[in-house]
Amino acid sequence: MKRYALLAFLFMSPWSIADDDTYEALPQWSEEDLQRISKGEALISDSLFRLQEGSDQGTQDNEALVLPEPGPDSLTIVPATEILEEDLVKYFGQKADSFLLDPQQLLTQQESNDRLAFLNYHASDSKVDFYVYLFDEQQEIPSIFQVDELLAKYYSSDRPALILFYFLGAPQRSEIHLSPKLMVSVGEAERERALQSSINQAIVKSQASDQLDGFCVQMSIRIYWMEKAMESGVIAPVTPVDTLTKKKNLPETNEKMKALSLWFMQWRLPLAFGFFVSGVAIVFTWIRKKREKFTFAEFDVACRLGGPHAAGVGAVISYASAKLPPTMQREQVPDYLRRM
């Protein structure tokens, strides 16, 4: 019974809804719309989006929305490879008033405070200042700014300084420059080694801020040795430009091979002494084996027929060779001797 009642309700419901005046009639397709659908020109009639007649908003012309063209005050998007002129002035217009120079605000405020605190601590504990110029990953420094002129103008008379041009997110593009006084003691070769060592410490990390931390910490360690060389009055040899170019083109040496070479240089004397003692022991053992002699014990044999030995008692064994076993040197006594 329940099933029949449900079917009757479903059968009568369309008529009851259609007779109810509270429900609006569904939109009807016009002949024009049907022809457009059959031709594939349009699938949805635009009449569905037209305002109903008698609505509060009234009928309005369906005009396309026209946006105003951007004026001169519109926001200009600067490509990532370019640096704004006002930022270039902050970079190279005067000597840096802070050890961390970030006019583009590439770091957050907390990250900037943490890095600046590290650089300030380094300056208080070292005689060599460490300046960091931050650039974006893909940016290029204009060629009109000569780094040598910058160093001679701002960093030649004060304390020795190391200036780092760091590209955030791309530590392999970093550049370091030394003030003239520090460069005399360090030299070009050591400068390249310090740069490569710091890059290796940075690229093992994934986050850009962590890469900057690793780079600065390693460079701070290298600056310590540069400072020691400068205080000792070391004069670095001048490296030809051709030699530096060849070194840059060579592939990077495996770190494991470097560690092995360093370990060998540290322990080469004990290793040489150990090999010498082992060689002497081997030679002494070989000579002792060659000169070794064996003595067999003598046993008393019972006399037979009044003689010390009896004829035909068996085989005669001789030890003519020390290399062959006795069984292979056994010689049987001929039969005619046994019958005698």
Side-chain angles (χ1 to χ4, degrees):
M1 290 295 294
K2 293 181 179 180
R3 184 174 14 172
Y4 291 114
L6 179 61
L7 291 175
F9 173 77
L10 294 176
F11 181 75
M12 294 298 294
S13 58
W15 283 271
S16 61
I17 294 174
D19 294 339
D20 194 352
D21 296 336
T22 58
Y23 293 95
E24 297 180 359
L26 295 174
Q28 299 295 326
W29 294 99
S30 63
E31 293 296 333
E32 182 182 356
D33 294 334
L34 292 175
Q35 292 179 2
R36 291 169 61 185
I37 292 174
S38 62
K39 294 179 180 179
E41 296 180 1
L43 298 179
I44 300 178
S45 175
D46 56 357
S47 62
L48 297 176
F49 304 99
R50 297 190 187 125
L51 296 175
Q52 296 286 337
E53 294 184 2
S55 60
D56 296 335
Q57 297 180 0
T59 58
Q60 298 179 359
D61 295 336
N62 193 12
E63 298 179 355
L65 180 62
V66 179
L67 298 177
E69 296 183 358
D73 297 332
S74 301
L75 179 62
T76 303
I77 300 176
V78 180
T81 56
E82 296 183 5
I83 306 175
L84 298 178
E85 291 186 6
E86 54 266 25
D87 292 332
L88 288 174
V89 173
K90 296 177 182 179
Y91 278 121
F92 306 108
Q94 67 281 335
K95 182 180 178 181
D97 55 356
S98 174
F99 293 111
L100 179 63
L101 206 61
D102 184 18
Q104 303 181 84
Q105 297 181 355
L106 302 175
L107 297 176
T108 63
Q109 188 62 40
Q110 183 62 41
E111 291 174 344
S112 180
N113 293 338
D114 294 340
R115 277 65 183 178
L116 183 58
F118 172 79
L119 296 174
N120 289 333
Y121 174 77
H122 170 86
S124 64
D125 193 50
S126 175
K127 296 181 180 180
V128 178
D129 291 335
F130 185 13
Y131 292 91
V132 178
Y133 287 62
L134 279 183
F135 301 93
D136 200 7
E137 180 178 2
Q138 301 295 333
Q139 287 181 336
E140 298 286 347
I141 301 175
S143 58
I144 59 175
F145 295 98
Q146 299 294 330
V147 179
D148 295 337
E149 296 179 0
L150 175 70
L151 295 176
K153 185 177 181 180
Y154 299 126
Y155 300 100
S156 60
S157 59
D158 297 336
R159 297 195 340 158
L162 182 144
I163 294 87
L164 166 64
F165 291 168
Y166 188 86
F167 298 86
L168 195 64
Q172 65 276 8
R173 296 188 58 208
S174 302
E175 302 175 8
I176 59 172
H177 305 277
L178 309 181
S179 60
K181 183 178 180 181
L182 186 61
M183 189 65 183
V184 172
S185 299
V186 175
E188 187 67 26
E190 181 60 30
R191 187 188 71 86
E192 290 290 337
R193 282 193 289 268
L195 175 60
Q196 190 60 48
S197 175
S198 301
I199 292 175
N200 293 339
Q201 291 296 323
I203 60 178
V204 298
K205 301 180 180 181
S206 57
Q207 299 296 328
S209 58
D210 295 336
Q211 291 177 348
L212 177 59
D213 280 342
F215 193 103
C216 291
V217 170
Q218 181 64 20
M219 185 57 67
S220 177
I221 297 173
R222 305 295 298 202
I223 290 176
Y224 171 79
W225 295 109
M226 295 179 186
E227 181 182 351
K228 292 297 182 182
M230 182 183 63
E231 292 178 347
S232 301
V234 176
I235 304 299
V238 179
T239 306
V241 178
D242 295 341
T243 305
L244 292 175
T245 305
K246 293 180 181 179
K247 288 183 177 180
K248 289 181 180 179
N249 295 332
L250 291 176
E252 297 181 4
T253 308
N254 194 336
E255 293 295 331
K256 293 183 179 180
M257 295 300 297
K258 289 183 179 180
L260 181 61
S261 176
L262 182 62
W263 178 83
F264 178 76
M265 293 297 294
Q266 183 178 1
W267 295 95
R268 63 183 184 276
L269 293 179
L271 288 174
F273 180 77
F275 280 119
F276 175 77
V277 172
S278 300
V280 171
I282 292 173
V283 172
F284 179 79
T285 303
W286 179 78
I287 295 175
R288 186 171 177 270
K289 287 287 186 181
K290 290 290 291 183
R291 296 183 178 181
E292 191 173 8
K293 295 181 179 180
F294 300 92
T295 303
F296 295 93
E298 296 182 2
F299 298 95
D300 294 333
V301 181
C303 296
R304 294 186 180 185
L305 301 177
H309 299 284
V313 295
V316 177
I317 301 175
S318 62
Y319 300 93
S321 176
K323 297 182 179 180
L324 298 176
T327 55
M328 297 187 65
Q329 303 183 54
R330 182 179 180 186
E331 297 178 0
Q332 297 292 340
V333 177
D335 293 337
Y336 70 91
L337 292 177
R338 291 183 180 182
R339 290 194 295 268
M340 289 179 64

